[in-house]
Amino acid sequence: MSHKRIPKRKAAIAVGGVAALGAAALLLPNANASQDDEAAGAAPRTLKAADASDLAAQLHSLLGDAFAGSYYDSGSRQLVINVVSGDNNVIVQAKKAGAVVRQVDNSTAQLQSAARTLRTEATIPGTSWAVDPRTNRILVTADSTVTGAAWDRLESTVQGLGSGMATIKKSAGTFKTFVSGGDAVFSQVQGGAVRCSLGFNVTASDGSPAFLTAGHCGVAAENWSDSETGQPIATVDQATFPGEGDFALVTYDDATTQAPSDVNVGGGQSVQIAQAAEATVGQAVLRMGSTTGLRDGSVTGLDATVNFQSETDPSGVDTVTGLIQTDVCAEPGDSGGPLFTQDGSALGLTSGGSGDCTSGGETFFQPVTTALQATGATLGAGGAADQNGGGEQAGGDGVGGAADPSAPADDPSGAGDAGDAMGGGQPGAGDQSGTGEQSGTDDQSGTGAHAGASRSRNH
């Protein structure tokens, strides 16, 4: 495998040090959120999102059937726990742990039963559902293709769940997987090139360097290249889509490939990825994709089910379960790209959704933790990758390479401004053309080799 060698500066974003991005407004508020050292017994506690996720898991185990979901209130930096039991001891335990406790009507078991009913009676292309712990209901979404008899069927099923169990809304877009249209990793198939985004570099169970991407990319093609017309550099080892997930493990053909554990966010900068974590409803997140660059938003639902229109059977449906639902935008070519946090936690891989980065919409992500467990891979570099910023950094100069800390982020929502916000006036990720040189980095070989995340490179 051959990659153009790119000169790098040693500066890189250390874990927890994303604040070094200076004026990068796109890297979300709450960057300095920290857990308060309150007096013993005081409640509720203020928490970082990652700490809130850990506490939620502990309380879920502690409260058992009384636990009815949780979410992170990013404004107050507090964890809100739903409980269905009137047992005062349950409430005391949750409050003592530092959570805000809210009594609700629907138990986790009831919500799960309702979701099973939807799966049985309303698996209609263009629909999705996920539990919204903020309303203690299932949020059912129908895209613009769900009309006529299909809409009547969906609406009837939701009404049949009973009052207060689910709500339904329409989405202006169309649910689809975001396979084509971007520059990142490529594969030649009959009818043209398939384009996706690289998610996170990992180490396969046999110790070889590999990366994760979307499963619908992995089932579409076996061999992948880092340029549209280049030779394959990686081969799909395993892929899941549709069904219980949307993820693929792709191993680099050259076992000496260095695959750094970072995400290239454009403008010559990268975020070091230190661990995989579970997403939390209400959590602020970032997404990187080779079409639309760096985008931000929040988690709106977990364990989501999405019914994509089958690309091989016009009358069929590709159902995927267990996804993270967000209000982050995405477009074709962003599939497989990373969902992560500002402090270096890997959360998900872009699956699909509705809308675009002009009108907005919903985007769903494959949880990274599930993908790692299923494939046996571990997050981090394969081969002899440099993890500490002491050598070359994938994807351009590290933070500070050419960044102007005082440069304003004129349009925090626009990928075209992401490079300006973080790279001292360099063109942003939105300027990537797919076949030309990549803006906001050093010379990226002129072939679209930037993968929208950490890239492979030679020694």
Side-chain angles (χ1 to χ4, degrees):
M1 180 181 65
S2 175
H3 289 279
K4 185 171 183 178
R5 191 175 181 85
I6 305 169
K8 312 292 177 189
R9 295 179 179 88
K10 295 184 179 181
I13 302 176
V15 173
V18 180
L21 291 176
L26 208 53
L27 286 186
L28 302 178
N30 305 326
N32 297 317
S34 62
Q35 181 173 322
D36 292 344
D37 295 324
E38 298 181 347
R45 295 159 56 192
T46 56
L47 302 163
K48 295 179 180 179
D51 294 333
S53 179
D54 292 340
L55 179 58
Q58 294 169 16
L59 288 175
H60 190 180
S61 177
L62 176 67
L63 302 180
D65 292 341
F67 182 88
S70 65
Y71 63 95
Y72 181 64
D73 186 330
S74 60
S76 63
R77 306 202 310 274
Q78 294 171 344
L79 175 69
V80 181
I81 294 289
N82 293 336
V83 298
V84 291
S85 172
D87 184 350
N88 188 59
N89 184 52
V90 168
I91 297 174
V92 169
Q93 290 182 78
K95 287 185 175 180
K96 187 176 181 180
V100 175
V101 180
R102 189 177 68 150
Q103 294 198 50
V104 296
D105 295 327
N106 299 321
S107 69
T108 297
Q110 290 172 317
L111 292 167
Q112 291 175 339
S113 176
R116 287 193 294 270
T117 299
L118 287 166
R119 178 70 182 269
T120 301
E121 300 181 10
T123 298
I124 301 166
T127 62
S128 71
W129 50 82
V131 173
D132 181 359
R134 291 165 296 192
T135 62
N136 187 230
R137 298 182 180 187
I138 295 177
L139 176 60
V140 181
T141 305
D143 73 13
S144 59
T145 67
V146 182
T147 59
W151 170 259
D152 293 342
R153 175 182 162 195
L154 181 64
E155 190 173 42
S156 175
T157 303
V158 170
Q159 291 174 349
L161 297 175
S163 176
M165 184 58 68
T167 57
I168 186 170
K169 74 168 187 174
K170 291 282 287 186
S171 174
T174 301
F175 287 144
K176 56 186 177 294
T177 52
F178 297 129
V179 178
S180 62
D183 62 297
V185 286
F186 301 81
S187 186
Q188 295 295 327
V189 296
Q190 186 174 4
V194 174
R195 302 179 181 183
C196 289
S197 294
L198 186 153
F200 299 99
N201 279 320
V202 297
T203 301
S205 59
D206 64 358
S208 60
F211 64 84
L212 293 174
T213 190
H216 62 267
C217 299
V219 299
E222 181 179 7
N223 303 111
W224 291 85
S225 173
D226 60 354
S227 66
E228 191 168 8
T229 58
Q231 293 297 310
I233 64 167
T235 304
V236 174
D237 178 80
Q238 49 188 295
T240 296
F241 179 86
E244 297 181 357
D246 185 3
F247 57 89
L249 177 69
V250 187
T251 57
Y252 290 105
D253 297 336
D254 184 348
T256 65
T257 297
Q258 291 192 21
S261 188
D262 60 18
V263 172
N264 188 321
V265 294
Q269 302 182 53
S270 60
V271 174
Q272 296 296 312
I273 299 299
Q275 65 277 318
E278 302 288 350
T280 302
V281 171
Q283 182 177 19
V285 291
L286 295 165
R287 175 196 61 75
M288 186 65 192
S290 57
T291 300
T292 57
L294 185 65
R295 301 285 173 164
D296 70 316
S298 62
V299 176
T300 59
L302 301 176
D303 197 21
T305 295
V306 186
N307 299 301
F308 296 110
Q309 174 70 57
S310 174
E311 295 186 5
T312 58
D313 179 5
S315 63
V317 57
D318 289 335
T319 298
V320 184
T321 61
L323 302 182
I324 301 166
Q325 184 170 348
T326 75
D327 59 11
V328 185
C329 71
E331 296 182 6
D334 290 331
S335 275
L339 180 74
F340 59 102
T341 65
Q342 60 183 1
D343 61 357
S345 292
L347 298 179
L349 307 165
T350 306
S351 176
S354 67
D356 52 39
C357 287
T358 299
S359 62
E362 300 84 17
T363 302
F364 300 88
F365 296 83
Q366 164 66 49
V368 166
T369 51
T370 304
L372 292 172
Q373 182 177 16
T375 61
T378 54
L379 192 66
D386 181 351
Q387 292 292 299
N388 301 312
E392 294 185 353
Q393 298 296 321
D397 293 341
V399 172
D404 177 1
S406 64
D410 295 330
D411 179 8
S413 65
D417 291 322
D420 295 337
M422 293 182 295
Q426 298 182 36
D431 293 326
Q432 296 167 3
S433 64
T435 56
E437 293 186 358
Q438 304 298 317
S439 304
T441 63
D442 293 340
D443 179 4
Q444 297 278 346
S445 76
T447 56
H450 175 200
S454 44
R455 291 197 307 117
S456 61
R457 69 175 190 271
N458 251 348
H459 287 284

